[in-house]
Amino acid sequence: MRAFDLIVLGAGPGGYITAIRAAQLGMSVASVDNNLDAAGKPTLGGTCLNVGCIPSKALLESSEHFARCRHGLSEHGIGTGTVAMNVPAMIARKNKIVRGLAAGVATLFAQNKVVAISGTGRLLGGTRVEITPSAGGQPETLESKNIVIATGSSPRDIDALPVDGRTIVDSAGALDFDAVPEKLGIVGAGVIALELGSVWRRLGSKVVLLEAMDTFLAGADDQIALAALREMTRQGLDIRLGARVTGSKPGRDGIEVSYENGTGRQTLEVAKLVIAVGRKPNTSALGVNEVGLLLDERGCVHVDDYCRTNLPHIYAIGDVVRGPMLAHKASEEGIMVVERIAGQETRVNYDTIPWVIYTSPEIAWVGKSERQLRAQARDYKVGVFPVSGNGRAWAMGASVGLTKILADKRSDRILGIHMMAPMASEVIAEAVLAMELGASAEDLQRTIHAHPSLAETVHEAALAADGRPLNFYP
Ligand code: FAD
Ligand code: NAD
């Protein structure tokens, strides 16, 4: 029986980073992953690399270029003639990026002497794991000192609208359309709906989002969510809140979706429908009941603050456990687990995990929202600075949005930073670092920011928290 110091189940951003860090710490590591590409070949990197973070950002980039060429260049004095979109070429570029990065993970494994095994892992009790090889053949039993479960998550489905992979697709399907659907419906108005809805809207689809809740982007600060709803609607996303889908039937050129809202029963005819109503943890192949692995009320593997499960030497991280389903959260949990196995005191600071939604402008935040602070009865102050007061944003032709800082009224400590702003995914890093180091609003006020830069909106929002922004005229 092959034996290792560590077996990692799943090679997404949680599992593959765990494996590499463990190898750096001197452990012998086996990484077991069952993901296969369209050609049936093993591909590392999990959801994030293959059908998540990376391919969606590749399409967002392509569609942004297209939209800019079509509508945004004439004011720069640039004439482009007729601009055409070649969807198969865009998809091929995306697939090439995915293939390259997945091969990169395989190279990292080889460099770090991580043994990559393509198969599905099942817990056998103790620290043994049975592997059913993806290529077929006899199952193999592996032994190890510790196990990390990093099996990730899969799209949630809706009974009334089963995914058929052609007309009704999940998020992976929406990354692979071979043509721009004339009318695209998306069930849900969360992160995936906004990102992939933006892609296809920019390329010419009429996009309708059917969201069950009456509120929009419940996880974001209310002021940012409202600004985002207005801006996404202005851009052409048709966002229908309080819409509960009930079923579908074949339509003239696609399907007719029925839903109910405050005014009664409605129908919507679309060429394609994307189901984007959240994700569920991957636990079904793990042999949970046989070994007594505890799940929580949402079906996630139950873990404590250090990602320890109820079973000795078995840990779980990433999308398969509680907390936000984000790649960087998964990676940091894996690093914590193996560093603690190696005797270090590593912790994950769950209060400073950044969120980014890659719309245009981007939406990003870290820390508490106003609603959360009110619920905690915290005495806080607010600094808001509009992106329209930022010179770099004007030069970029992207002066829509706002940056907002929430700080403790007495101690001045920063409690949350929220933005809808160009390149917010990059600018938010300053906010995360400030909060990680326990900075005050005054620390940001006295930090020199390059001019002109988008980060100046953070500086100005910090000044605004004390009523003294410099470039603000109401
Ligand atoms: P996963 O990436 O899901 O990897 C788990 C792996 O384990 C998979 O390869 C799976 O096949 C394998 N597996 C499952 N069961 C077994 C088993 N029993 N044995 C062996 N292998 C198994 N997050 C961000 O932070 N930023 C983004 O921009 C972003 N964009 C996204 C866009 C989309 C369209 C989607 C769907 C998700 C996006 N996410 C994003 C979320 C991100 O992809 C996940 O949070 C992240 O992939 C979770 O990492 P993980 O390692 O926990 O799991
Ligand atoms: P989500 O939780 O962001 O949004 C799902 C939405 O669907 C919610 O607004 C919910 O109220 C709604 N909904 C649920 N059931 C519904 C129903 N029956 N009818 C209509 N609406 C319904 O989930 P998602 O967009 O599917 O994304 C899944 C996860 O993937 C995200 O939570 C996030 O963690 C991750 N992700 C992250 C990024 C990023 O970091 N940029 C991008 C994409 C996905």
Side-chain angles (χ1 to χ4, degrees), residues 215 218 220-225 367-382 404 406-408 415 418:
T215 47
D221 182 86
D222 291 344
Q223 188 177 1
I224 301 285
K368 299 276 187 276
S369 65
E370 273 205 73
R371 194 175 348 109
Q372 289 170 321
L373 293 178
R374 278 198 300 272
Q376 292 177 354
R378 291 287 289 262
D379 210 2
Y380 64 92
K381 56 186 176 180
V382 186
K404 173 173 183 175
L406 305 170
D408 188 276
L415 303 172
H418 307 262

Side-chain angles (χ1 to χ4, degrees), residues 148-377:
V148 174
I149 300 168
T151 49
S153 64
S154 307
R156 264 189 59 209
D157 29 44
I158 312 180
D159 291 343
L161 296 163
V163 167
D164 61 20
R166 284 173 293 107
T167 317
I168 306 183
V169 299
D170 59 17
S171 54
L175 292 165
D176 261 336
F177 291 152
D178 50 14
V180 179
E182 200 177 315
K183 194 157 181 186
L184 177 66
I186 307 183
V187 185
V191 190
I192 290 178
L194 290 177
E195 292 188 357
L196 297 185
S198 294
V199 166
W200 295 107
R201 179 198 59 73
R202 289 172 193 165
L203 300 181
S205 279
K206 283 189 161 103
V207 180
V208 182
L209 276 54
L210 299 175
E211 165 61 49
M213 306 267 284
D214 292 321
T215 47
F216 178 65
L217 282 185
D221 182 86
D222 291 344
Q223 188 177 1
I224 301 285
L226 183 61
L229 179 59
R230 286 199 184 121
E231 177 56 18
M232 295 302 118
T233 304
R234 190 195 66 75
Q235 291 179 7
L237 287 183
D238 179 349
I239 302 170
R240 303 184 188 175
L241 301 177
R244 286 170 305 282
V245 290
T246 50
S248 69
K249 63 178 187 193
R252 262 173 293 130
D253 288 315
I255 56 165
E256 186 185 288
V257 184
S258 45
Y259 65 96
E260 280 167 19
N261 64 10
T263 54
R265 187 172 180 277
Q266 315 287 340
T267 57
L268 171 72
E269 184 135 353
V270 291
K272 301 255 186 208
L273 186 71
V274 183
I275 309 295
V277 295
R279 298 179 60 84
K280 55 177 193 252
N282 291 333
T283 57
S284 60
L286 288 173
V288 167
N289 293 333
E290 293 87 328
V291 297
L293 182 70
L294 197 61
L295 303 184
D296 66 20
E297 63 288 351
R298 294 175 55 231
C300 298
V301 176
H302 175 81
V303 288
D304 67 7
D305 288 350
Y306 303 113
C307 293
R308 291 179 296 208
T309 70
N310 65 313
L311 301 175
H313 303 290
I314 301 187
Y315 303 80
I317 62 161
D319 279 15
V320 79
V321 305
R322 83 288 175 259
M325 289 183 166
L326 296 172
H328 40 285
K329 175 260 193 188
S331 304
E332 290 305 320
E333 286 183 331
I335 291 167
M336 169 178 73
V337 164
V338 290
E339 289 187 353
R340 292 184 78 87
I341 290 172
Q344 300 178 20
E345 292 291 318
T346 314
R347 288 159 188 266
V348 169
N349 185 354
Y350 287 97
D351 294 331
T352 56
I353 296 175
W355 275 87
V356 179
I357 307 176
Y358 294 79
T359 45
S360 178
E362 292 176 344
I363 299 161
W365 69 88
V366 57
K368 299 276 187 276
S369 65
E370 273 205 73
R371 194 175 348 109
Q372 289 170 321
L373 293 178
R374 278 198 300 272
Q376 292 177 354

Side-chain angles (χ1 to χ4, degrees), residues 55 58-59 89-99 175-176:
L59 297 191
M90 174 183 77
I91 300 291
R93 172 185 180 271
K94 179 263 295 178
N95 291 342
K96 192 172 166 200
I97 291 166
V98 168
R99 272 199 308 276
L175 292 165
D176 261 336

